[in-house]
Amino acid sequence: MYSKPVRPVLVVIAHGSRDPRHAATVHALVRRVRSLRPGLRVETGFLDFNIPSVHGVLESLAAEGVRDVVALPLLLTRAFHAKADIPAVLRDAPPQLRIRQAQVLGPSPLLLSALERRLYEAGLTPADKASTGVVLASAGSSDPEAIAVIADIAREWRHTGWYAVRPAFASASLPRTEEAVRELRELGCARVAVAPYVLAPGFLPDRIARGAAEADVLAEVLGPAPEVARVLLERYDAARTPALAAVGA
């Protein structure tokens, strides 16, 4: 008798934070993912500060008899956590687990759509695009690849009709949000908006918000936006294909 293959469990790997808003937002996003894909088992593990830990989640799954897992980094760029921290944690997973590490969420056209919708929710309209400068404000990284990706996203987004788009960073890189806001003012934008390219509230998003003090519009973080949930499922579907080698295999 034919039996339907068991889908791998999706383990969402979040950074974690002392700020309780972070974990609350991650859990809200995971609930949205579950609502979009009924029947898919989705678990959440944190690298630091919050529980359950990634290692604890993987140990529990192995004890239940789960064999196939897709580990999805809840990250927007492929920097240190995606390249080093997460692979190290997955290498220490119970050996009976077959784990595939999915790609990070960004870049994705869906994330641009989410950024734009957040700006409209904050008060802008499509008619404002041609006269509005936007600061694409990310957390920042010391990884040149991650910084280059943010700059590329800003250039791509500019081509959708905004007067100008400038990248900014809350840490590790320049310019800061407030510097990019001033640059857009000097460029002659009728209004300046700040779009945080971050997933959840916390220390660095708060720094972005402070840097947006002189802007006209500050959007909310991406959070549990439906577009973000759809990107998670896209990354899961790509990782579960046999063409991707299992971690440690």
Side-chain angles (χ1 to χ4, degrees):
M1 181 177 177
Y2 174 77
S3 60
K4 187 177 180 179
V6 176
R7 287 185 287 187
V9 174
L10 170 56
V11 175
V12 175
I13 301 179
H15 183 276
S17 172
R18 293 186 179 91
D19 189 322
R21 297 174 298 168
H22 174 89
T25 303
V26 170
H27 291 311
L29 175 59
V30 168
R31 286 194 297 271
R32 188 177 287 274
V33 171
R34 291 184 181 125
S35 72
L36 291 176
R37 187 73 61 87
L40 173 62
R41 182 172 178 182
V42 187
E43 301 291 343
T44 307
F46 295 90
L47 290 173
D48 208 350
F49 301 118
N50 302 104
I51 55 174
S53 68
V54 178
H55 184 74
V57 169
L58 296 175
E59 289 276 359
S60 295
L61 290 173
E64 289 180 32
V66 170
R67 291 296 174 263
D68 290 297
V69 170
V70 169
L72 195 155
L74 197 61
L75 301 168
L76 293 172
T77 57
R78 189 173 175 273
F80 182 79
H81 292 303
K83 294 177 179 178
D85 283 352
I86 292 174
V89 171
L90 297 181
R91 282 194 295 271
D92 287 337
Q96 61 267 44
L97 291 177
R98 292 184 292 265
I99 304 176
R100 296 184 179 92
Q101 181 177 332
Q103 295 297 318
V104 298
L105 303 185
S108 167
L110 283 170
L111 295 178
L112 278 182
S113 297
L115 285 167
E116 199 147 305
R117 190 163 57 80
R118 289 291 189 235
L119 286 172
Y120 295 153
E121 290 170 353
L124 293 178
T125 70
D128 296 323
K129 291 183 73 169
S131 57
T132 300
V134 178
V135 178
L136 179 68
S138 76
S141 173
S142 58
D143 188 305
E145 178 187 346
I147 297 304
V149 166
I150 299 299
D152 287 343
I153 293 170
R155 282 192 291 270
E156 178 182 348
W157 203 14
R158 160 68 182 83
H159 293 315
T160 67
W162 296 101
Y163 185 90
V165 180
R166 295 288 186 273
F169 307 94
S171 68
S173 307
L174 295 174
R176 294 286 185 258
T177 302
E178 54 269 32
E179 295 166 352
V181 169
R182 287 195 290 269
E183 179 187 347
L184 290 172
R185 289 273 187 229
E186 293 167 0
L187 196 61
C189 300
R191 66 191 63 77
V192 176
V194 174
Y197 189 58
V198 292
L199 288 167
F203 177 75
L204 293 178
D206 284 349
R207 181 180 289 177
I208 290 172
R210 290 192 298 272
E214 296 181 9
D216 302 294
V217 173
L218 171 62
E220 293 292 330
V221 300
L222 293 170
E227 297 92 342
V228 179
R230 286 168 58 196
V231 175
L232 262 72
L233 289 171
E234 284 185 356
R235 298 293 183 256
Y236 168 80
D237 289 336
R240 63 185 288 221
T241 59
L244 293 179
V247 173

PDB file of all heavy atoms in Angstrom, residues 183-198:
ATOM      1  N   GLU A 183      21.107  62.998   4.165  1.00  0.00           N
ATOM      2  CA  GLU A 183      21.523  62.974   2.759  1.00  0.00           C
ATOM      3  C   GLU A 183      20.322  63.102   1.829  1.00  0.00           C
ATOM      4  O   GLU A 183      20.360  63.833   0.826  1.00  0.00           O
ATOM      5  CB  GLU A 183      22.283  61.682   2.454  1.00  0.00           C
ATOM      6  CG  GLU A 183      22.740  61.572   1.004  1.00  0.00           C
ATOM      7  CD  GLU A 183      23.345  60.228   0.675  1.00  0.00           C
ATOM      8  OE1 GLU A 183      23.637  59.451   1.612  1.00  0.00           O
ATOM      9  OE2 GLU A 183      23.522  59.941  -0.518  1.00  0.00           O
ATOM     10  N   LEU A 184      19.247  62.416   2.160  1.00  0.00           N
ATOM     11  CA  LEU A 184      18.049  62.488   1.320  1.00  0.00           C
ATOM     12  C   LEU A 184      17.396  63.863   1.407  1.00  0.00           C
ATOM     13  O   LEU A 184      16.854  64.362   0.416  1.00  0.00           O
ATOM     14  CB  LEU A 184      17.063  61.392   1.721  1.00  0.00           C
ATOM     15  CG  LEU A 184      17.502  59.962   1.357  1.00  0.00           C
ATOM     16  CD1 LEU A 184      16.564  58.930   1.978  1.00  0.00           C
ATOM     17  CD2 LEU A 184      17.562  59.774  -0.150  1.00  0.00           C
ATOM     18  N   ARG A 185      17.444  64.493   2.567  1.00  0.00           N
ATOM     19  CA  ARG A 185      16.942  65.864   2.686  1.00  0.00           C
ATOM     20  C   ARG A 185      17.721  66.795   1.754  1.00  0.00           C
ATOM     21  O   ARG A 185      17.141  67.614   1.024  1.00  0.00           O
ATOM     22  CB  ARG A 185      17.100  66.355   4.122  1.00  0.00           C
ATOM     23  CG  ARG A 185      16.165  65.719   5.110  1.00  0.00           C
ATOM     24  CD  ARG A 185      14.844  66.463   5.167  1.00  0.00           C
ATOM     25  NE  ARG A 185      14.025  65.931   6.252  1.00  0.00           N
ATOM     26  CZ  ARG A 185      12.771  65.589   6.113  1.00  0.00           C
ATOM     27  NH1 ARG A 185      12.152  65.693   4.948  1.00  0.00           N
ATOM     28  NH2 ARG A 185      12.081  65.126   7.140  1.00  0.00           N
ATOM     29  N   GLU A 186      19.041  66.644   1.810  1.00  0.00           N
ATOM     30  CA  GLU A 186      19.895  67.502   0.979  1.00  0.00           C
ATOM     31  C   GLU A 186      19.695  67.227  -0.506  1.00  0.00           C
ATOM     32  O   GLU A 186      19.926  68.108  -1.344  1.00  0.00           O
ATOM     33  CB  GLU A 186      21.357  67.301   1.366  1.00  0.00           C
ATOM     34  CG  GLU A 186      21.681  67.796   2.779  1.00  0.00           C
ATOM     35  CD  GLU A 186      23.035  67.320   3.264  1.00  0.00           C
ATOM     36  OE1 GLU A 186      23.726  66.608   2.494  1.00  0.00           O
ATOM     37  OE2 GLU A 186      23.394  67.652   4.412  1.00  0.00           O
ATOM     38  N   LEU A 187      19.263  66.017  -0.822  1.00  0.00           N
ATOM     39  CA  LEU A 187      19.015  65.658  -2.215  1.00  0.00           C
ATOM     40  C   LEU A 187      17.762  66.318  -2.760  1.00  0.00           C
ATOM     41  O   LEU A 187      17.551  66.383  -3.972  1.00  0.00           O
ATOM     42  CB  LEU A 187      18.907  64.135  -2.322  1.00  0.00           C
ATOM     43  CG  LEU A 187      19.011  63.485  -3.696  1.00  0.00           C
ATOM     44  CD1 LEU A 187      20.362  63.763  -4.340  1.00  0.00           C
ATOM     45  CD2 LEU A 187      18.791  61.979  -3.575  1.00  0.00           C
ATOM     46  N   GLY A 188      16.920  66.816  -1.861  1.00  0.00           N
ATOM     47  CA  GLY A 188      15.720  67.520  -2.290  1.00  0.00           C
ATOM     48  C   GLY A 188      14.444  66.716  -2.240  1.00  0.00           C
ATOM     49  O   GLY A 188      13.439  67.100  -2.858  1.00  0.00           O
ATOM     50  N   CYS A 189      14.438  65.595  -1.501  1.00  0.00           N
ATOM     51  CA  CYS A 189      13.220  64.795  -1.383  1.00  0.00           C
ATOM     52  C   CYS A 189      12.135  65.589  -0.653  1.00  0.00           C
ATOM     53  O   CYS A 189      12.401  66.246   0.351  1.00  0.00           O
ATOM     54  CB  CYS A 189      13.507  63.512  -0.615  1.00  0.00           C
ATOM     55  SG  CYS A 189      14.749  62.447  -1.384  1.00  0.00           S
ATOM     56  N   ALA A 190      10.923  65.515  -1.143  1.00  0.00           N
ATOM     57  CA  ALA A 190       9.815  66.207  -0.494  1.00  0.00           C
ATOM     58  C   ALA A 190       9.533  65.618   0.881  1.00  0.00           C
ATOM     59  O   ALA A 190       9.106  66.323   1.799  1.00  0.00           O
ATOM     60  CB  ALA A 190       8.563  66.125  -1.363  1.00  0.00           C
ATOM     61  N   ARG A 191       9.749  64.315   1.022  1.00  0.00           N
ATOM     62  CA  ARG A 191       9.604  63.670   2.318  1.00  0.00           C
ATOM     63  C   ARG A 191      10.618  62.530   2.386  1.00  0.00           C
ATOM     64  O   ARG A 191      11.046  62.004   1.347  1.00  0.00           O
ATOM     65  CB  ARG A 191       8.175  63.165   2.554  1.00  0.00           C
ATOM     66  CG  ARG A 191       7.742  62.050   1.647  1.00  0.00           C
ATOM     67  CD  ARG A 191       6.263  61.767   1.742  1.00  0.00           C
ATOM     68  NE  ARG A 191       5.466  62.899   1.306  1.00  0.00           N
ATOM     69  CZ  ARG A 191       5.275  63.237   0.028  1.00  0.00           C
ATOM     70  NH1 ARG A 191       5.853  62.532  -0.937  1.00  0.00           N
ATOM     71  NH2 ARG A 191       4.534  64.272  -0.286  1.00  0.00           N
ATOM     72  N   VAL A 192      10.952  62.154   3.608  1.00  0.00           N
ATOM     73  CA  VAL A 192      11.915  61.069   3.833  1.00  0.00           C
ATOM     74  C   VAL A 192      11.256  60.023   4.716  1.00  0.00           C
ATOM     75  O   VAL A 192      10.672  60.344   5.759  1.00  0.00           O
ATOM     76  CB  VAL A 192      13.208  61.583   4.492  1.00  0.00           C
ATOM     77  CG1 VAL A 192      14.149  60.413   4.801  1.00  0.00           C
ATOM     78  CG2 VAL A 192      13.900  62.597   3.588  1.00  0.00           C
ATOM     79  N   ALA A 193      11.356  58.772   4.300  1.00  0.00           N
ATOM     80  CA  ALA A 193      10.791  57.654   5.050  1.00  0.00           C
ATOM     81  C   ALA A 193      11.900  56.672   5.403  1.00  0.00           C
ATOM     82  O   ALA A 193      12.845  56.478   4.646  1.00  0.00           O
ATOM     83  CB  ALA A 193       9.714  56.947   4.226  1.00  0.00           C
ATOM     84  N   VAL A 194      11.774  56.053   6.559  1.00  0.00           N
ATOM     85  CA  VAL A 194      12.717  55.030   6.995  1.00  0.00           C
ATOM     86  C   VAL A 194      12.004  53.692   7.041  1.00  0.00           C
ATOM     87  O   VAL A 194      10.963  53.551   7.703  1.00  0.00           O
ATOM     88  CB  VAL A 194      13.317  55.366   8.378  1.00  0.00           C
ATOM     89  CG1 VAL A 194      14.192  54.213   8.877  1.00  0.00           C
ATOM     90  CG2 VAL A 194      14.129  56.661   8.301  1.00  0.00           C
ATOM     91  N   ALA A 195      12.544  52.730   6.322  1.00  0.00           N
ATOM     92  CA  ALA A 195      11.986  51.373   6.268  1.00  0.00           C
ATOM     93  C   ALA A 195      12.964  50.417   6.939  1.00  0.00           C
ATOM     94  O   ALA A 195      14.001  50.085   6.365  1.00  0.00           O
ATOM     95  CB  ALA A 195      11.738  50.954   4.823  1.00  0.00           C
ATOM     96  N   PRO A 196      12.688  49.971   8.166  1.00  0.00           N
ATOM     97  CA  PRO A 196      13.595  49.037   8.831  1.00  0.00           C
ATOM     98  C   PRO A 196      13.584  47.671   8.140  1.00  0.00           C
ATOM     99  O   PRO A 196      12.541  47.014   8.051  1.00  0.00           O
ATOM    100  CB  PRO A 196      13.025  48.934  10.252  1.00  0.00           C
ATOM    101  CG  PRO A 196      12.193  50.163  10.427  1.00  0.00           C
ATOM    102  CD  PRO A 196      11.604  50.417   9.065  1.00  0.00           C
ATOM    103  N   TYR A 197      14.748  47.270   7.671  1.00  0.00           N
ATOM    104  CA  TYR A 197      14.899  45.956   7.046  1.00  0.00           C
ATOM    105  C   TYR A 197      15.345  44.986   8.133  1.00  0.00           C
ATOM    106  O   TYR A 197      16.452  44.450   8.121  1.00  0.00           O
ATOM    107  CB  TYR A 197      15.908  46.041   5.905  1.00  0.00           C
ATOM    108  CG  TYR A 197      15.995  44.802   5.035  1.00  0.00           C
ATOM    109  CD1 TYR A 197      14.879  44.307   4.370  1.00  0.00           C
ATOM    110  CD2 TYR A 197      17.208  44.146   4.846  1.00  0.00           C
ATOM    111  CE1 TYR A 197      14.966  43.189   3.564  1.00  0.00           C
ATOM    112  CE2 TYR A 197      17.310  43.034   4.036  1.00  0.00           C
ATOM    113  CZ  TYR A 197      16.188  42.554   3.392  1.00  0.00           C
ATOM    114  OH  TYR A 197      16.279  41.440   2.580  1.00  0.00           O
ATOM    115  N   VAL A 198      14.474  44.798   9.103  1.00  0.00           N
ATOM    116  CA  VAL A 198      14.727  43.909  10.231  1.00  0.00           C
ATOM    117  C   VAL A 198      13.443  43.127  10.504  1.00  0.00           C
ATOM    118  O   VAL A 198      12.345  43.572  10.176  1.00  0.00           O
ATOM    119  CB  VAL A 198      15.166  44.673  11.494  1.00  0.00           C
ATOM    120  CG1 VAL A 198      16.541  45.293  11.302  1.00  0.00           C
ATOM    121  CG2 VAL A 198      14.159  45.745  11.864  1.00  0.00           C
TER     122      VAL A 198
END
